[in-house]
Amino acid sequence: QVQLKESGGGLVQAGGSLRLSCLTSGRTSSTYAMGWFRQAPGKEREFVGAVRWNSGSTAYADSVKGRFTISRDNAENTVLLQMNSLKPEDTAVYYCAASLGRGVWSADSYDYWGQGTQVTVSS
């Protein structure tokens, strides 16, 4: 199994930056992709971005393109989400997730989830 732990969330003013980290442990050799999702109160969990574990290729939601960057360090078993030009609309609990199969856009494609970290962007 894979264990995931997010860190780096906090309170930031609009226009600021945060970097979220997802530390992985356990059996990660079968991981196909690592994804970032977010969920605001009263809303469904939505896709933010993902990185293929082996190739490093990335995909992003349109809402964060040009502002967020996802990367991975296979040696450190860490996935990063760099968030720049943050907006109040980015306020949510952010989750990292590991997928063992095909697909990166849907939460249903992911098999393991972290506990989440709160990101709050003030106006």
Side-chain angles (χ1 to χ4, degrees):
Q1 64 176 1
V2 177
Q3 293 84 235
L4 310 173
K5 184 175 178 60
E6 305 95 333
S7 62
L11 174 65
V12 65
Q13 294 182 350
S17 299
L18 283 174
R19 185 175 69 177
L20 305 184
S21 298
C22 179
L23 177 64
T24 70
S25 61
R27 293 183 175 270
T28 60
S29 61
S30 297
T31 299
Y32 173 75
M34 296 293 299
W36 285 97
F37 291 77
R38 65 187 183 186
Q39 187 168 24
K43 302 183 68 176
E44 294 186 350
R45 191 167 299 186
E46 65 175 345
F47 174 79
V48 175
V51 60
R52 303 283 177 87
W53 187 252
N54 291 325
S55 70
S57 62
T58 56
Y60 299 95
D62 289 340
S63 59
V64 305
K65 284 182 179 178
R67 300 189 298 121
F68 291 10
T69 303
I70 186 170
S71 61
R72 91 281 185 265
D73 185 335
N74 291 26
E76 298 291 337
N77 293 319
T78 301
V79 178
L80 304 175
L81 180 66
Q82 178 66 46
M83 305 185 295
N84 299 324
S85 302
L86 283 162
K87 306 174 181 179
E89 303 87 79
D90 296 317
T91 296
V93 176
Y94 283 70
Y95 300 88
C96 67
S99 173
L100 305 183
R102 296 183 298 113
V104 299
W105 295 94
S106 172
D108 293 338
S109 299
Y110 292 83
D111 302 279
Y112 300 97
W113 295 82
Q115 81 288 350
T117 185
Q118 177 71 47
V119 172
T120 303
V121 184
S122 62
S123 301

